[in-house]
Amino acid sequence: MTFEQAMKFISSFTKSGTPVKTLDRIAGLLNQVGNPQKNLKFIHIAGTNGKGSVAEYLTNILINSGYQTGTLTSPYIKHYQDRIRINGQDIPEKILCELCEGLQATVTGTDYSQFEITMVIAFLYFVRKNADVVVLETGIGGLLDATNIIEKPLVSVLTSVSKDHMEILGDTIEKIAYQKAGIIKNGCPAVISLDNKGEKIFRKTAEQKHSPVFQPERKAVFVYDTALTGNEFFYHDICYHTKMGGEHQVDNAVTVLETVNVLRNQNFKIPEDAVRKALAETTVPGRIQILQEHPLVILDGGHNPDGTRALSDLLKGDRGGNYIGICGMTGAKDADTASGNLAPVFSKVFCVDGFAPNALPKEQLAEYFRKHHANAEISDLKDALPNALAIAETSGNPVVICGSLYLASWYLNQR
């Protein structure tokens, strides 16, 4: 099977598959290939914002500590293979083709989702590579997410909860948190992030499942400095640095520190130097990513209210506003609230579409920005960055590309 044939096989399944009310479908699929998940150890991560960063921090900490570490994230950023990695390296095309060929010959039924097929490929790959531990990020939600088929995670990590994917998870924070809480398993420890809107639901679920709960202490956190280029903070009087900017990355980092302590209590040998190095060096494509410095161009894939608010807060604190924006969103997101969060930091914003099949029409996005008193202009996708850079050259104001991970992916693939 060629790589093109492998991608055609994966694409032959729909994005979401037929609707599910149980995990029976993924259980049946995994059973057809020998239940590879039963031979793996998992750190399971769910949340609306922050789970990607937490996954990367933990991945690099474990790699630095000498563990063969598998990582499954979603969606991909530059290409399909980057969501399945061992020790930070994408799954090779040759092995992906071999695994797809085996699945095509083995799997019966067509109701599966692309995510389910991808997860099975990842599990088979991780077993083949003798992974010591797998950092596993949920797709959407938790309770009925395909990843929740795993039985006894080393730890379940719950990052921040906000309103996103409401058509699937529910229209309130409580309903969304209930779905995320589904990854908490009987007797398995759970870590809850700081100031988590779902904390009450998470703690209630953990109590019902006799799961010990760990959470960072807000009073033990002191942020010494925060900027686009990173943070310096103290946790329990110990100084740490993150390369990723924004105070929300401090919250992610202390969630990781608590998770590390849980792993240490399970006999994982994780040196403090491995932790410091990972926090100081980890970056995630499309998360407050600096594409170039002269003029400054920043790329961020935050797309829901909390994500765009975190970006806006960081931009306000760094330069007080006056950025030139390029923004595109998908139709499934709360574009009104997101544009309201971002409008105050943009002296001008170019609204785009065409980066994804479900992109919100640029005319509609521009109307949202104008509602919030922004100077918004519609633009062809290919013209937006040259136009923004031309303004940046004369004004000295930085450019910010934001609104969707799919938009971030589009720009990264143009480089």
Side-chain angles (χ1 to χ4, degrees):
M1 181 179 282
T2 65
F3 179 71
E4 290 72 24
Q5 289 171 328
M7 296 312 299
K8 185 177 180 180
F9 166 71
I10 294 166
S11 299
S12 70
F13 300 91
T14 63
K15 289 281 187 181
S16 58
T18 55
V20 296
K21 294 184 178 180
T22 70
L23 294 174
D24 289 348
R25 187 172 76 194
I26 185 62
L29 176 58
L30 283 163
N31 191 55
Q32 291 181 63
V33 297
N35 288 307
Q37 77 280 5
K38 293 184 181 294
N39 297 308
L40 296 166
K41 296 178 180 179
F42 296 96
I43 298 168
H44 203 186
I45 307 172
T48 309
N49 294 306
K51 64 180 186 291
S53 297
V54 167
E56 294 307 316
Y57 284 135
L58 287 169
T59 292
N60 290 330
I61 286 169
L62 289 163
I63 293 170
N64 292 347
S65 301
Y67 291 99
Q68 181 87 334
T69 306
T71 311
L72 175 63
T73 59
S74 65
Y76 68 82
I77 299 299
K78 297 191 74 172
H79 50 246
Y80 176 84
Q81 306 94 285
D82 66 34
R83 62 195 303 183
I84 303 171
R85 287 169 285 140
I86 283 283
N87 288 350
Q89 300 300 308
D90 300 346
I91 182 172
E93 287 187 8
K94 180 181 178 182
I95 295 179
L96 177 64
C97 293
E98 291 174 6
L99 293 173
C100 283
E101 189 169 0
L103 282 177
Q104 189 174 52
T106 304
V107 170
T108 58
T110 58
D111 292 338
Y112 308 112
S113 68
Q114 290 178 21
F115 182 80
E116 288 168 331
I117 294 296
T118 295
M119 191 184 81
V120 171
I121 292 169
F123 287 178
L124 291 169
Y125 179 53
F126 297 152
V127 169
R128 179 185 289 204
K129 298 296 289 185
N130 297 312
D132 297 312
V133 60
V134 173
V135 178
L136 181 63
E137 182 185 335
T138 57
I140 295 176
L143 183 64
L144 295 177
D145 188 77
T147 61
N148 208 31
I149 195 65
I150 66 170
E151 294 175 356
K152 289 284 185 181
L154 298 167
V155 55
S156 300
V157 184
L158 288 309
T159 66
S160 71
V161 174
S162 66
K163 291 184 177 180
D164 201 358
H165 298 295
M166 291 185 288
E167 73 283 1
I168 298 172
L169 304 179
D171 57 0
T172 67
I173 290 293
E174 290 74 21
K175 289 177 182 177
I176 294 169
Y178 174 78
Q179 292 294 322
K180 308 284 186 187
I183 72 165
I184 300 173
K185 297 291 186 8
N186 288 328
C188 299
V191 174
I192 303 173
S193 69
L194 274 172
D195 304 328
N196 198 311
K197 296 174 185 175
E199 180 179 347
K200 185 176 179 181
I201 300 292
F202 295 155
R203 286 188 176 275
K204 181 179 179 181
T205 303
E207 183 179 358
Q208 292 169 344
K209 296 188 176 182
H210 307 288
S211 300
V213 172
F214 302 86
Q215 188 174 29
E217 296 179 54
R218 171 57 73 187
K219 65 182 181 180
V221 180
F222 172 70
V223 180
Y224 180 76
D225 187 36
T226 183
L228 283 170
T229 52
N231 302 287
E232 183 176 357
F233 70 96
F234 291 81
Y235 187 54
H236 289 294
D237 298 324
I238 300 173
C239 185
Y240 298 93
H241 295 81
T242 68
K243 188 169 186 177
M244 289 194 283
E247 198 163 336
H248 59 287
Q249 287 297 346
V250 175
D251 290 354
N252 291 334
V254 294
T255 300
V256 166
L257 293 175
E258 289 296 329
T259 305
V260 165
N261 286 335
V262 171
L263 294 173
R264 284 170 171 160
N265 288 336
Q266 297 181 53
N267 297 317
F268 276 78
K269 306 301 181 186
I270 303 176
E272 187 63 24
D273 285 350
V275 176
R276 290 175 181 277
K277 186 173 187 291
L279 294 183
E281 295 180 356
T282 295
T283 59
V284 181
R287 272 76 163 189
I288 316 289
Q289 181 177 358
I290 296 176
L291 296 185
Q292 66 177 59
E293 294 188 357
H294 303 291
L296 182 63
V297 178
I298 302 159
L299 179 70
D300 187 65
H303 48 267
N304 51 45
D306 282 4
T308 51
R309 188 178 301 112
L311 174 61
S312 179
D313 289 346
L314 175 60
L315 297 178
K316 288 175 187 174
D318 194 68
R319 293 171 185 261
N322 291 322
Y323 292 83
I324 304 148
I326 299 172
C327 189
M329 297 194 71
T330 65
K333 304 304 176 185
D334 184 355
D336 188 3
T337 303
S339 58
N341 290 337
L342 294 167
V345 301
F346 291 148
S347 57
K348 185 179 185 67
V349 57
F350 293 96
C351 298
V352 299
D353 56 19
F355 54 87
N358 61 337
L360 184 72
K362 56 192 175 185
E363 296 82 3
Q364 187 175 348
L365 181 59
E367 285 304 310
Y368 282 129
F369 270 106
R370 289 169 188 148
K371 172 185 171 182
H372 297 289
H373 312 294
N375 177 14
E377 179 180 321
I378 62 172
S379 172
D380 287 339
L381 185 57
K382 62 182 176 60
D383 295 332
L385 185 55
N387 290 340
L389 287 173
I391 298 172
E393 291 283 1
T394 57
S395 68
N397 293 336
V399 175
V400 177
I401 304 168
C402 62
S404 170
L405 277 171
Y406 294 105
L407 180 65
S409 177
W410 189 89
Y411 274 103
L412 288 171
N413 279 309
Q414 304 307 303
R415 303 182 75 193

